């Protein structure tokens, strides 16, 4: 008997899962999760991503068991896994969500598409987000997004009406050559992260995966924390509770975008005018729109993961790489307290808020004059909620290489004065600063040596020295970027980028002309 194969990727749930629902209505289903060594070897992958995925997958497996099925863990490259499954028990349809991922997942999906065509297998790929494949006109994008989030949620049939196919005997644990030599096996348990080449480190205080945790976070935000959203998301002190904290659960599909939008709109409808939660949720809904707007950019132009969106900026920073500057940034030793405190928080939690993400990239791109690609790979591994489409679009926007956005340069000293004026945040994450007098808190490297000694501090050791003079380096960097922007051929090429990637409408539906200024607030992976 033929069956439909449901391939779970970054869509680890059953609720509003269009691929699973369609397969279950059609006939027997076999549900698989493939651990693909080549994807986990990609330089944007991290142990925290893998462990979060496994936590979510274990919960999905338990949910399938309650319905009479199971999630089968297969190890190997996708085409090899599918080939072995098909050889043991042919299937006529492959069901999975439509993914806009990194270059490795894109190449994998193209290989899977070729494999399906060669065997006459139909690949059913419903959209995961409000992203349109083969979009030919940005003017129609906002309406497509609205149609996606407003559509009824795709719910699976009742458990008694779902038939689960048996895993072919040839693929039972122990039936193949032990991983990683074989192309595909069923694993008795998931490979250890170190076996996949992933670094042993992961943030000890990161959020845990799974739909139960996702729903708890969602309902806590809708019912209470959304009241802090509008006034709190920029502050590194307030943001951990003011932000929704839903971004990793959307990135790994523990929640669907549609259900979050619909739940937020439903909650707004119950709140009276003047309720702070109402204003907060309206702002949050706007960010959900921007979430898909940025992913659409990578869908339409996959190369922006590797090269400047505006090719006129090629060569701007590529040949000036300074490893000492990069090492200082990654180690949290730039000397600028707010920058180093954000890096410390990121190492501990896998998360910082959107303004601090933008500030990190701005510091990297301007005073440190670092190309966005290596900085982006480091931050991809550091962010638990890494979403490639948002990530690479935002790296380029904050670095000034899109050619269509206003230059955004964040002064880390001003940001500290504005958002941490009493030093509560930096002293929380940088213990040495607890001994720094308030007078020197924002620029501790300027503290006289005798003052530092009286407080048991050593300049250059306990207190890092900035690798560059901030104002001078920033001014020089801005001058180089602005000089390039002013060149006639660079300016001339901007219109085509606006036409292909510029926004057209705000989520509330107000018409807005596509322009260089039609862009969201600075945000990386939203961090919402």
């Amino acid at each position: 008997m033929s069956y439909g194969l449901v391939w779970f990727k970054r869509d680890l749930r059953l609720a509003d899962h269009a691929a699973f629902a369609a397969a279950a209505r059609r006939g027997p289903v076999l549900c698989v999760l493939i651990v693909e060594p080549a994807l986990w070897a990609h330089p944007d992958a991290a142990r925290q991503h893998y462990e979060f995925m496994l936590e979510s997958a274990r919960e999905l497996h338990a949910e399938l068991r309650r319905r009479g099925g199971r999630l089968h863990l297969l190890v190997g490259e996708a085409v090899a896994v599918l080939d072995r499954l098909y050889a043991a028990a042919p299937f006529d349809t492959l069901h999975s969500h439509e993914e806009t991922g990194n270059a490795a997942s894109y190449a994998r999906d193209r290989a899977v598409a070729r494999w399906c065509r060669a065997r006459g297998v139909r690949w059913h790929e419903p959209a995961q987000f409000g992203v349109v494949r083969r979009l030919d006109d940005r003017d129609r994008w906002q309406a497509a997004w609205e149609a996606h989030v407003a559509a009824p949620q795709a719910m699976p049939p009742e458990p008694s009406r779902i038939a689960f196919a048996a895993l072919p005997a040839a693929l039972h644990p122990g039936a193949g050559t032990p991983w990683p030599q074989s192309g595909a096996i069923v694993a008795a348990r998931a490979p250890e992260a170190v076996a996949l080449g992933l670094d042993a480190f992961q943030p000890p205080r990161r959020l845990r995966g799974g739909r139960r945790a996702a729903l708890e976070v969602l309902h806590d935000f809708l019912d209470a924390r959304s009241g802090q959203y509008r006034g709190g998301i920029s502050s590194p002190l307030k943001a951990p509770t003011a932000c929704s904290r839903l971004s990793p659960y959307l990135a790994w599909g523990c929640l669907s975008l549609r259900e979050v939008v619909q739940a937020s709109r439903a909650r707004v409808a119950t709140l009276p005018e003047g309720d702070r939660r109402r204003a907060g949720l309206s702002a949050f809904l706007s960010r959900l729109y921007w979430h898909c707007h940025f992913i659409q950019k990578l869908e339409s132009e996959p190369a922006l993961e590797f090269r400047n969106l505006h090719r006129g900026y090629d060569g701007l920073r590529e040949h000036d790489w300074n490893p000492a500057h990069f090492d200082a940034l990654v180690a949290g030793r730039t000397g600028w307290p707010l920058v180093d405190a954000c890096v410390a928080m990121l190492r501990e939690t896998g998360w910082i808020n959107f303004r601090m993400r933008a500030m990190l990239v701005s510091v990297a791109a301007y005073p440190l004059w670092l190309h966005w690609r290596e900085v982006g790979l480091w931050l991809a591994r550091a962010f638990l909620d890494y979403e490639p489409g948002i990530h690479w679009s935002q790296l380029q926007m904050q670095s000034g290489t899109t050619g269509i956005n206003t230059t955004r340069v964040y002064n880390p000293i001003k940001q500290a004065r504005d958002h941490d004026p009493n030093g509560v945040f930096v002293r929380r994450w940088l213990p040495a600063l607890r001994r720094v007098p308030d007078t020197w808190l924002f620029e501790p490297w300027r503290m006289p040596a005798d003052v530092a000694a009286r407080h048991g501090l050593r300049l250059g050791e306990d207190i890092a020295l900035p690798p560059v003079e901030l104002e001078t380096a920033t001014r020089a960097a801005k001058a180089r970027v602005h000089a390039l922007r002013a060149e006639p051929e660079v300016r001339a090429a901007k219109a085509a980028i606006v036409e292909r990637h510029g926004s057209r409408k705000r989520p509330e539906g107000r018409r807005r002309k596509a322009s260089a200024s039609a862009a969201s607030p600075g945000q990386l992976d939203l961090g919402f």
Side-chain angles (χ1 to χ4, degrees):
M1 180 176 64
S2 185
Y3 63 96
L5 184 68
V6 182
W7 175 20
F8 286 90
K9 298 194 281 183
R10 290 172 66 114
D11 52 345
L12 302 174
R13 66 182 187 280
L14 293 185
D16 194 27
H17 194 292
F20 177 77
R25 285 194 299 268
R26 186 172 178 270
V29 296
L30 182 68
C31 299
V32 302
L33 173 70
I34 307 175
V35 175
E36 303 168 76
L39 262 60
W40 291 108
H42 203 264
D44 60 355
R47 179 183 172 186
Q48 64 169 331
H49 304 148
Y50 182 64
E51 299 291 353
F52 188 94
M53 180 274 289
L54 290 180
E55 290 158 5
S56 303
R58 290 187 189 105
E59 203 170 295
L60 173 60
H61 173 67
E63 178 63 24
L64 284 166
R65 288 294 297 269
R66 287 191 287 272
R67 294 170 181 267
R70 63 181 297 139
L71 181 65
H72 299 281
L73 176 66
L74 309 179
V75 182
E77 305 313 325
V79 168
V81 169
L82 296 174
D83 210 38
R84 189 166 177 187
L85 262 172
Y86 188 83
F91 49 91
D92 57 7
T93 309
L94 174 64
H95 300 263
S96 71
H97 83 274
E98 187 178 85
E99 184 175 2
T100 303
N102 62 9
S105 69
Y106 181 40
R108 180 273 318 275
D109 281 354
R110 286 185 294 173
V112 169
R114 290 192 296 271
W115 181 90
C116 287
R117 287 194 297 269
R119 285 153 186 80
V121 172
R122 177 175 175 266
W123 190 3
H124 176 240
E125 287 184 283
Q128 169 90 328
F129 297 136
V131 173
V132 181
R133 185 152 289 180
R134 291 177 286 278
L135 178 68
D136 59 357
D137 186 348
R138 260 283 183 170
D139 287 341
R140 290 194 282 268
W141 184 81
Q142 192 271 342
W145 182 86
E146 182 58 44
H148 175 83
V149 300
Q153 295 182 31
M155 306 308 292
E158 292 296 317
S160 61
R161 303 183 64 182
I162 301 176
F164 289 95
L167 186 74
L171 283 168
H172 284 183
T177 306
W179 181 85
Q181 287 82 10
S182 74
I185 69 163
V186 173
R189 60 187 178 88
E192 295 293 331
V194 291
L196 293 168
L198 297 170
D199 192 285
F201 174 78
Q202 66 167 324
R205 291 166 58 186
R206 67 165 175 83
L207 292 176
R208 290 307 184 255
R211 183 166 172 82
R212 281 179 296 179
L215 289 172
E216 288 176 4
V217 173
L218 173 62
H219 293 309
D220 183 46
F221 178 68
L222 295 179
D223 295 340
R225 293 186 294 108
S226 54
Q228 310 169 45
Y229 191 78
R230 290 197 66 180
I233 61 173
S234 293
S235 165
L237 282 166
K238 298 177 181 177
T241 54
C243 291
S244 78
R245 306 304 302 274
L246 292 170
S247 48
Y249 300 110
L250 285 169
W252 286 97
C254 302
L255 298 168
S256 79
L257 178 82
R258 180 187 289 116
E259 69 175 317
V260 174
V261 169
Q262 292 183 3
S264 300
R265 286 177 171 174
R267 192 72 181 97
V268 168
T270 69
L271 298 171
E273 292 290 342
D275 192 307
R276 293 184 64 186
R277 292 171 296 173
R278 186 184 182 94
L281 287 172
S282 295
F284 173 64
L285 284 163
S286 176
R287 296 221 182 262
L288 293 176
Y289 171 89
W290 289 115
H291 166 281
C292 297
H293 165 78
F294 281 107
I295 297 175
Q296 183 67 56
K297 294 188 180 198
L298 185 64
E299 175 66 37
S300 298
E301 192 148 353
L304 69 80
E305 179 183 347
F306 300 101
R307 69 186 193 193
N308 295 325
L309 182 63
H310 191 312
R311 302 308 302 278
Y313 290 81
D314 289 358
L316 178 64
R317 295 186 181 91
E318 288 88 330
H319 307 301
D320 295 330
W321 181 257
N322 189 316
H325 288 184
F326 182 65
D327 291 346
L329 178 65
V330 172
R333 296 282 296 172
T334 68
W336 300 310
L338 189 58
V339 172
D340 296 343
C342 285
V343 172
M345 180 179 175
L346 195 52
R347 282 198 300 260
E348 184 73 14
T349 68
W351 185 89
I352 53 176
N353 64 311
F354 79 87
R355 181 174 288 272
M356 296 301 101
R357 297 181 189 213
M359 182 194 68
L360 283 186
V361 178
S362 173
V363 166
Y366 289 92
L368 298 182
W369 198 246
L370 295 170
H371 189 267
W372 53 265
R373 173 65 183 170
E374 285 301 320
V375 174
L377 289 173
W378 162 57
L379 290 174
R381 295 188 296 271
F383 293 155
L384 177 63
D385 56 7
Y386 168 54
E387 179 65 65
I390 302 171
H391 187 82
W392 295 112
S393 297
Q394 287 287 322
L395 256 295
Q396 292 215 38
M397 190 172 84
Q398 301 299 337
S399 298
T401 57
T402 66
I404 64 173
N405 300 105
T406 303
T407 303
R408 288 176 167 86
V409 181
Y410 291 77
N411 182 314
I413 298 173
K414 181 181 185 302
Q415 291 296 309
R417 293 184 188 278
D418 290 348
H419 298 291
D420 189 30
N422 299 314
V424 176
F425 178 77
V426 297
R427 284 173 167 145
R428 177 183 300 169
W429 294 104
L430 301 175
L433 290 186
R434 296 168 192 168
R435 290 177 276 152
V436 172
D438 289 350
T439 304
W440 306 103
L441 181 62
F442 299 108
E443 298 176 288
W445 67 90
R446 299 190 189 279
M447 186 171 28
D450 62 324
V451 174
R454 283 201 303 271
H455 291 85
L457 296 167
R458 295 161 296 175
L459 297 178
E461 296 185 43
D462 303 303
I463 302 298
L465 304 179
V468 297
E469 201 288 315
L470 180 63
E471 290 188 9
T472 302
T474 301
R475 191 181 307 115
K478 289 171 67 175
R480 292 177 71 174
V481 173
H482 290 159
L484 190 58
R485 288 173 71 99
E487 292 183 2
E489 59 270 26
V490 173
R491 295 175 62 185
K494 185 168 71 173
I497 298 172
V498 172
E499 181 64 26
R500 184 169 177 81
H501 297 291
S503 63
R504 302 296 195 270
K505 290 184 179 180
R506 292 294 195 185
E508 63 270 21
R510 187 170 67 252
R511 185 72 185 176
R512 184 174 185 179
K513 182 180 178 182
S515 69
S517 63
S520 75
Q523 50 195 5
L524 286 160
D525 296 325
L526 296 190
F528 51 60

